[in-house]
Amino acid sequence: MRYVETTPMLINGELVQAASGKTLDSVNPATEEVIGRIPAGGPADVEAAVAAAARAQVEWAKTEMDERAARLRAVAARVAERADEILQLEVRDTGNTISKMRGDVGMGIKVLEYYAGLGLELKGSTIPASQDHLHFTLREPYGVVGRIIPFNHPVMFALSRMAAPLMAGNSIIIKPPEASSLSAGILAEICRDELPAGLVNIVTGTGAEAGAALVRHRQVKRLAFIGSVPTGLAIQRAAAEVCVKHVSLELGGKNPMIIFPDVDPEVAATAAVSAMNFAWQGQSCGSCSRLLLHEDVYDEVLRRIVEKTEQLIIGDPLDPQSQMGPMNSRMQLDKVEHYVRTAHEDGARLMTGGERPEGRQFERGYWFKPTVFAEVTPQIRIGHEEIFGPVLSVFRWSDEQEALRIANSTEYGLTAAIWTNDLNKATRMMRGVKSGYVWINGFSAHHLGTPFGGMGNSGLGREEGIEELLSYTENKTVHIKL
Ligand code: NAD
């Protein structure tokens, strides 16, 4: 296995190390081996990146849409060329299984191409406000955008979330997740080769140093964050202390999947297990980690879920046969173990898992078995707090109002999945759930072009559709006296 010497950051079109010279170790969560190092960027690096980004943005905003699109497509093409290299590194760095992570790289490319085609949608409007004027609006870029990314899909988020701000005429500074930043080094090389110097800057490092410096920089008027609710709140507070900023937040979830009794138990069980996203060890904001089973099918569906969960193949995430890898970090593993302890204390019934797997292969690494708890209620901790791990909480319900009460009983409101063949019931539930993204007889899939984002504390703003593109612009209203 190749050891990655310290990956570069990208500042002003150059591959650089942190000004402080400090680095952070990157650990393979499957083996606990140090597999590389990343620069521990800090305020000085953010300062240099913002200065470069501000300079580059002036020219970029004058660049024709065709040219902007061509540059994004060139990045996408280079990523496609190096897809396998990125994939191997990303899997070793995150612990996510290779068969699913292939889709992550593909999605990054697809989103770049999608936004590359949307430039001419950056339209203003004309308003018939008076006869003696021409009134219209223009969409202008914010300038320098800061993008902070979580550990579960590092390369996908870095690629896909640079597309809209760039297409809208902004420059950008990306802060990758410190636990899984190795792939950002490859992106740094690609962006250096394909984009004007300073347009995309990548500053690695911790949230407390690199992240906080970006949040608190006055010239970064537009901030976009994907991560946990506590960090999102901290970012809103810190940003507000500095100046007025447009902050968008894609935060955590504790997503309900509601199963009605008319659904075939086998179909329901298969969907529930798939919707846990065990291929990411449940470390997915969209995992349906709360399963609400109607009492008539509760025992039958639960039995099948336990059977299916126990058949999942846990193993080397680089092996295409593996259906589950290790948790991303020691911290994530500790968090999962903490929640399993609370579940026992709070009286939930362990159906399967709840411990680390046994065997030589699992002696090192942050492994945990896929876990199912039954008889969960909204009051207990695993009933309403996001674990971000492979733990499914199963609830029982008997009437629709009760199902809705349970579904809406957390601070979150990211996604919901409703399963029934009755259109009226599905529609009533869809209207009742406080979630930003709802599947009826589906789960997990993101359909490009459809806005994704959360209600409640799950977020602010929508990504993955035209709204995301427009959110990187400010309206300027103009009145021409005739
Ligand atoms: P996190 O909040 O711990 O960290 C996310 C990023 O923020 C990292 O890059 C980190 O370095 C940075 N950061 C931390 N503190 C900071 C600070 N004070 N100032 C600036 N930056 C700071 O989240 P995580 O553990 O990496 O990711 C898991 C969380 O992300 C889960 O809650 C998950 O649900 C959420 N998530 C949401 C979505 C979505 O689309 N809604 C997608 C993926 C993950």
Side-chain angles (χ1 to χ4, degrees):
M1 186 186 301
R2 190 164 70 96
Y3 176 82
V4 180
E5 291 305 332
T6 311
T7 55
M9 305 197 292
L10 178 66
I11 297 179
N12 199 24
E14 289 181 15
L15 301 179
V16 295
Q17 293 300 318
S20 66
K22 290 188 196 153
T23 59
L24 300 169
D25 286 343
S26 259
V27 172
N28 178 343
T31 60
E32 297 181 48
E33 279 171 293
V34 175
I35 52 167
R37 283 179 298 171
I38 61 161
D45 306 291
V46 168
E47 192 59 49
V50 173
R55 283 194 301 275
Q57 194 269 332
V58 176
E59 280 310 305
W60 182 247
K62 296 180 199 159
T63 305
E64 296 288 356
M65 289 300 171
D66 279 356
E67 175 60 17
R68 292 185 200 175
R71 295 291 191 135
L72 291 198
R73 291 192 180 109
V75 171
R78 286 288 306 283
V79 171
E81 272 170 33
R82 298 183 69 177
D84 207 51
E85 183 190 351
I86 295 171
L87 181 65
Q88 299 283 330
L89 191 57
E90 185 91 323
V91 169
R92 281 163 52 205
D93 203 15
T94 59
N96 298 336
T97 53
I98 193 160
S99 46
K100 294 290 180 189
M101 288 308 267
R102 199 176 297 282
D104 264 34
V105 182
M107 180 56 92
I109 294 170
K110 202 166 150 186
V111 176
L112 280 166
E113 287 168 350
Y114 166 72
Y115 284 107
L118 279 187
L120 296 182
E121 295 305 316
L122 288 157
K123 299 168 190 161
S125 52
T126 56
I127 303 122
S130 74
Q131 288 302 320
D132 56 348
H133 287 81
L134 180 60
H135 305 273
F136 61 95
T137 61
L138 296 172
R139 291 194 172 272
E140 295 193 347
Y142 275 98
V144 180
V145 169
R147 277 246 56 148
I148 301 176
I149 287 170
F151 71 79
N152 57 339
H153 300 280
V155 84
M156 191 272 281
F157 282 138
L159 279 173
S160 63
R161 301 311 201 263
M162 72 167 76
L166 291 181
M167 212 49 213
N170 302 277
S171 56
I172 182 168
I173 295 160
I174 298 172
K175 210 299 275 169
E178 56 266 49
S180 304
S181 283
L182 292 181
S183 59
I186 301 180
L187 295 190
E189 290 170 10
I190 293 175
C191 291
R192 176 201 55 183
D193 295 347
E194 303 300 336
L195 297 172
L199 188 64
V200 169
N201 302 272
I202 301 177
V203 179
T204 53
T206 65
E209 294 196 4
L214 191 56
V215 169
R216 301 187 77 91
H217 203 292
R218 278 181 184 278
Q219 267 176 289
V220 181
K221 165 88 177 174
R222 175 77 173 91
L223 259 179
F225 173 73
I226 307 180
S228 64
V229 172
T231 311
L233 289 169
I235 283 177
Q236 273 192 320
R237 278 193 298 273
E241 279 171 14
V242 179
C243 63
V244 172
K245 286 182 196 261
H246 176 167
V247 182
S248 58
L249 302 167
E250 290 278 4
L251 306 179
K254 185 80 179 176
N255 309 306
M257 175 181 264
I258 306 169
I259 306 283
F260 277 75
D262 64 324
V263 180
D264 180 304
E266 181 61 17
V267 172
T270 304
V273 173
S274 302
M276 268 303 293
N277 293 324
F278 284 119
W280 283 269
Q281 301 68 250
Q283 300 165 135
S284 169
C285 62
S287 294
C288 291
S289 55
R290 290 185 300 148
L291 180 66
L292 280 56
L293 291 178
H294 187 272
E295 59 183 359
D296 290 353
V297 288
Y298 189 92
D299 293 330
E300 179 61 16
V301 177
L302 186 56
R303 184 181 64 73
R304 290 172 191 251
I305 286 173
V306 170
E307 245 174 57
K308 290 178 191 301
T309 306
E310 288 176 350
Q311 282 164 10
L312 290 172
I313 302 168
I314 313 176
D316 180 357
L318 282 165
D319 181 344
Q321 301 299 317
S322 297
Q323 294 168 304
M324 195 174 155
M327 304 303 298
N328 179 264
S329 62
R330 160 86 50 200
M331 204 172 78
Q332 282 300 115
L333 176 63
D334 289 347
K335 193 171 163 202
V336 170
E337 292 188 321
H338 159 78
Y339 274 110
V340 167
R341 278 194 299 277
T342 72
H344 289 301
E345 287 161 17
D346 293 344
R349 183 150 59 94
L350 179 66
M351 303 301 297
T352 185
E355 60 186 1
R356 299 190 195 193
E358 282 169 9
R360 281 205 59 191
Q361 184 190 356
F362 305 117
E363 278 169 11
R364 293 185 68 75
Y366 312 131
W367 306 91
F368 203 81
K369 283 186 183 172
T371 298
V372 180
F373 278 102
E375 308 306 341
V376 178
T377 62
Q379 289 73 33
I380 71 173
R381 284 163 282 185
I382 64 158
H384 62 270
E385 292 178 20
E386 185 189 42
I387 303 172
F388 213 56
V391 182
L392 176 64
S393 300
V394 184
F395 299 69
R396 186 191 294 269
W397 62 277
S398 54
D399 68 72
E400 278 178 40
Q401 285 313 312
E402 186 185 14
L404 270 183
R405 265 198 309 279
I406 299 172
N408 292 336
S409 62
T410 72
E411 67 172 314
Y412 302 100
L414 192 57
T415 73
I418 298 158
W419 282 72
T420 173
N421 296 309
D422 182 326
L423 192 56
N424 290 314
K425 286 181 183 155
T427 307
R428 281 198 298 273
M429 297 306 275
M430 174 274 288
R431 287 191 171 143
V433 288
K434 297 266 180 286
S435 304
Y437 208 75
V438 180
W439 297 279
I440 292 171
N441 299 329
F443 56 85
S444 290
H446 288 222
H447 299 277
L448 192 54
T450 65
F452 183 86
M455 294 180 173
N457 275 354
S458 285
L460 205 56
R462 296 291 179 269
E463 299 192 332
E464 304 178 17
I466 185 112
E467 290 88 342
E468 182 181 344
L469 179 70
L470 302 181
S471 79
Y472 287 102
T473 63
E474 298 187 279
N475 260 329
K476 178 178 277 179
T477 305
V478 184
H479 315 273
I480 301 180
K481 178 93 167 81
L482 301 174

